[in-house]
Amino acid sequence: MSELIAFLEPDRSVIARRAAIIADLADLVPASSLITDARELVPFDTDAFVSYRRMPLAVVLPETTTEVAAVLKYCNRNGIPVVPRGAGTSLSGGAIPQEDAIVIGVSKMNRILEVDLPNRCARVQAGVTNISISQTVEADGFFYAPDPSSQLACTIGGNIGMNSGGAHCLKYGVTTNNLLGVKMVMFDGSIVEIGGKALDAPGYDLLGLVCGSEGQLGIVTEATVRLIARPEGARPVLFGFPSSVAAGACVTDIIGAGIIPVAIEFMDKPAIEICEAFAQAGYPMDVEALLIVEVEGSDAEMDAMLGRIIEIARTHGVKTIRESQSATEAALIWKGRKSAFGATGRIADYICMDGTVPLGQLSHVLEKTSEIVARYGLRVANVFHAGDGNMHPLILFDANDPDESRKAEMAGNDILKLCVDAGGCLTGEHGVGIEKRDLMRHQYTDADLAQQMRVRAAFDPKWILNPSKVFPLDGRNGAYADETGETAGKTAA
Amino acid sequence: MQTNFTAEQLADPGVAMSEKILRKCVHCGFCTATCPTYVTLGNELDSPRGRIYLIKDMLENGRPADEQVVTHIDRCLSCLSCVTTCPSGVDYMHLVDHARIHIEQTYRRPLMDRLTRRMLALVLPYPARLRASLHLARLGRPFAPLFRTVPGLKPVAAMLDLAPASVPAASPVSRPGNHAAAAPKRGRVAILSGCAQPVLKPGINEATIRLLNRIGVEVVVPEGEGCCGSLVHHMGREPDALDAARKNIDAWTREIDAGGLDAIIITASGCGTTIKDYGHMLREDPAYADKAARVSALAKDVIEYLASIDLPDPVNGSGLVVAYHSACSMQHGQKITTAPKTLLKGAGFVVKDPPEGHLCCGSAGVYNILQPEIALALRDRKVRNIELTRPEVIATGNIGCITQIAQGTGIPILHTVELLDWAYGGDRPEGLPARATREQRAVQPS
Ligand code: SF4
Ligand code: SF4
């Protein structure tokens, strides 16, 4: 299939030096941390944005920050691109390598280093999974709030790279709101500590800059994250509606009334069917759209908030209202929702969009999305974080059909443009990666992008870190230059 | 996920099946998180998604297996935790089965590995040979540390470590025969004698038969039964596995035709997973496909069977704190998750769920012999998690786990059915801590 998204032209001189580079890397990391066999490299050629694949030059899986630093220093000195990798669950291709790049994966750095309950924080290595933080402090009544659907597998390092969100971010904010500090290896191998255990550090808010920088400003090897006390109780409630538009309008009105539940999740009929088949969570099957609204607090607080939400839902013709009756049922409701993307694989291949729109536009964008997808002759399932307007249309297609694959990508692009035009943005939580890179111009002016690229170049003058991502390839020349005056990043033809 | 097979490749039923499985994988990566080898080694090549990709690449390119692929597939425990986790319903079990057959057919293993595997396949499935080897192993034990220092001999050292200090005498219940119901008859079942279990722990089937007889179930030990074949099946020796399956199917079919069977009772969940798959394994064999499907449908873990019938009030066992360890073949292979705990609670035990219950203990058939390092790391992790619950006894439903976990802890470990038999009026199982039940403590305060 001819690809819609280009990668940077690989640097042939780097590829020509492959054998020497591998020999040098072997001095920097243990043998069990270096992967160079052509067959063993194949499983690293993509992430969860599986329609694009590129073989890396080699993969290193360091066990310590010092090893990461040694490899990065070496790569920078020798002009070798580096692609950081967490668990490889990116839906925007953030971890897809390129032929001349070394992948630095943090999967072996998977230890929780310190739990500091009096200061309500934990210090963890970058490769720990998101959920394992919450599991570790669960017995003490705490949790780590951002909860991407892939939280079972995705790493905190990857979460920081993409500034990941999740269902519960409506109340608790995304990664950047829950990150207190990082240890990061810079392009030249120097190790810096940014932030700490306190909520605000003196000087520039570099932490805010690092969070969401998609592995282009440095490689995070340790993070200090905020822990939050578990609420007294939490209750997901299912609201079934006769139409997607009604459900969308209901969300707008809930938030408009100043009510902030912990989560408001939306599923349309195709998504309900997919998730129910996997999780058997007891979602209502006779409705066109479903909202999962979670409230928390004391029983009285939950009842009061639910009462107001039910009143609003009634005005939108809600058909079914069901409260979860037990912890098991609540867990199943969330399991179904969080497995939605993977479970879609039971019926088709998919690409998952991540546009965010102002809440008032929700119903409009949902309608238009259906139109766009129908125009390409494809199907769509919608399952997303409605409370903060973060849409996730899943465009269904057959990956073995090149024509459908192409159409799916084009429909995806149209949908993202629609989100931007409705006053929203390209990405709510999955990051730009390669997937949305070429649409960045639809969101930003050239001056905006040039400024972002200058910041990037200040951190990584030779652009060796994850170079194919985030910024459109064709606008790079002249926007930045390394010390030698050379411009980096030539576009593939 | 996109696949790339020619029509010619897809004419092979194994490849066609694998292609269907691969198409379902969306490469989301969820499965990596619950894979024991990924959690231990931190390398995606030793994760389900990595293995799926390696297998895909090998099959698509029609390549013989090579050292790299074999290394990572060999490290897979076949614990099937990934199957439980996968939201997309990827049938990893049959994919890796196919890969193992492909490896066995196209790859020549190093000499020591070949010898070890052949020896295991020749000894373990045959109770008499196993008994003789265990006696020999007792003599060889002092040499284990020496063997451990030679890479090719590590499996031998592991084997010697695993051999019990004493071998129980052969049990009368492993001989063919009928065990009549001792109460008004409510059912008739066959029981799989098995291969390693009757040698290592004959008490498990003895307890099962006692308990079933006492509640009115007639138990037959059919003539002609043997090893279920899972051992060779997991080594990719498919012709041997299918022979074992056919032999058992013949034995059970005779019983079904003679007196009728309500169930075929299996007391080792590892065997249960394989027997429940006979229907699939023999789907291409016109002479056996139907019979195999019938046998698979009748196969029940003893726990599954007990959960389906009414039990009387328990008489013993109250208050003993039991950590329940769910064997992978039980929870992931057969999806039996809550029944054992419900039965234990119903029988008066206090049941504890150890953390990380989804992770394998490292036993996995002969894995602890072939991959001793990973197996040991997993065993230690498992024992740590179990001991966190401070149990008085550990219960599980698979002989492999019993042998493996017993090596790492001083806490006694029993088969769930041994505890149930005791609770419902049977003998106190050997090895149960000498601790008074709550009732006895109430009478004689200490
Ligand atoms: S969880 Fe399932 S769909 Fe996702 S990568 Fe693993 S096998 Fe594939
Ligand atoms: S069967 Fe177990 S060891 Fe093998 S890939 Fe799946 S989870 Fe990992």
Side-chain angles (χ1 to χ4, degrees), chain B residues 24-32 48-49 52 82 85-88 90:
Chain B
K24 271 204 170 175
C25 173
V26 291
H27 214 252
C28 68
F30 279 30
C31 52
T32 59
R49 187 171 73 170
I52 289 170
C82 49
T85 301
C86 174
S88 190
V90 172

Side-chain angles (χ1 to χ4, degrees), chain B residues 110-314:
Chain B
L111 181 67
M112 268 317 288
D113 195 12
R114 253 181 3 248
L115 290 178
T116 312
R117 283 163 187 268
R118 182 164 319 154
M119 198 261 300
L120 290 171
L122 282 176
V123 171
L124 280 184
Y126 306 95
R129 295 181 199 168
L130 175 60
R131 182 167 288 115
S133 329
L134 288 177
H135 284 299
L136 266 179
R138 276 166 53 209
L139 302 176
R141 243 182 154 165
F143 301 103
L146 185 68
F147 291 151
R148 230 187 315 275
T149 59
V150 185
L153 292 179
K154 276 183 190 164
V156 182
M159 248 179 297
L160 294 174
D161 285 342
L162 280 167
S166 67
V167 187
S171 166
V173 307
S174 52
R175 284 196 290 274
N178 237 28
H179 301 268
K185 188 170 151 184
R186 61 206 281 198
R188 180 176 191 267
V189 300
I191 189 167
L192 170 75
S193 296
C195 49
Q197 180 172 298
V199 176
L200 296 167
K201 291 268 279 176
I204 296 173
N205 272 10
E206 290 169 1
T208 305
I209 294 174
R210 272 198 310 268
L211 174 59
L212 289 173
N213 286 167
R214 201 179 309 121
I215 58 176
V217 180
E218 179 185 342
V219 183
V220 212
V221 181
E223 183 86 50
E225 254 186 13
C227 167
C228 69
S230 81
L231 184 92
V232 279
H233 179 61
H234 287 139
M235 288 185 190
R237 298 169 168 250
E238 207 50 9
D240 295 349
L242 296 182
D243 281 349
R246 288 193 192 97
K247 196 165 154 236
N248 284 332
I249 291 167
D250 286 341
W252 291 326
T253 303
R254 279 193 297 272
E255 279 305 329
I256 297 170
D257 293 342
L261 287 179
D262 299 325
I264 297 162
I265 298 294
I266 298 140
T267 54
S269 56
C271 311
T273 306
T274 301
I275 294 169
K276 287 182 175 179
D277 200 39
Y278 278 179
H280 177 90
M281 288 161 66
L282 286 161
R283 69 194 182 288
E284 307 282 344
D285 179 341
Y288 274 86
D290 291 345
K291 285 191 273 182
R294 183 159 62 154
V295 159
S296 289
L298 277 177
K300 296 269 177 303
D301 189 88
V302 58
I303 292 302
E304 219 178 347
Y305 184 72
L306 289 172
S308 70
I309 57 180
D310 289 332
L311 292 171
D313 285 335

Side-chain angles (χ1 to χ4, degrees), chain A residues 35 37 39-40 42-48 50 53 61 85 87-89 107-108 110 149-150 152-153 278 339 342-343 345-346 349 398-400, chain B residues 1-3 19 23-24 26-30 32-34 38-39 41-45 49-50 53-54 57 63 66 68 72 85-89:
Chain A
I35 298 162
D37 178 85
R39 277 154 208 188
E40 291 188 312
V42 176
F44 294 92
D45 74 356
T46 189
D47 52 24
V50 74
R53 296 192 289 266
L61 305 173
R85 184 179 178 96
T89 53
S107 54
K108 283 184 191 273
N110 58 4
S149 295
S150 58
L152 176 70
F278 170 62
S339 307
R346 289 167 181 258
D349 298 290
D398 174 357
N400 276 2
Chain B
M1 188 159 64
Q2 190 190 2
T3 54
E19 196 262 352
R23 286 287 283 128
K24 271 204 170 175
V26 291
H27 214 252
C28 68
F30 279 30
T32 59
T34 57
Y38 181 74
V39 168
L41 303 169
N43 183 341
E44 184 159 344
L45 295 169
R49 187 171 73 170
Y53 224 70
L54 287 169
D57 189 50
R63 267 201 321 258
D66 52 61
Q68 282 73 25
H72 301 296
T85 301
C86 174
S88 190

Side-chain angles (χ1 to χ4, degrees), chain A residues 24-25 53 56 79-80 210 268 289 405 460 488:
Chain A
D24 292 341
L25 288 174
R53 296 192 289 266
I80 307 163
V210 166
D268 65 7
S405 308
D460 173 23

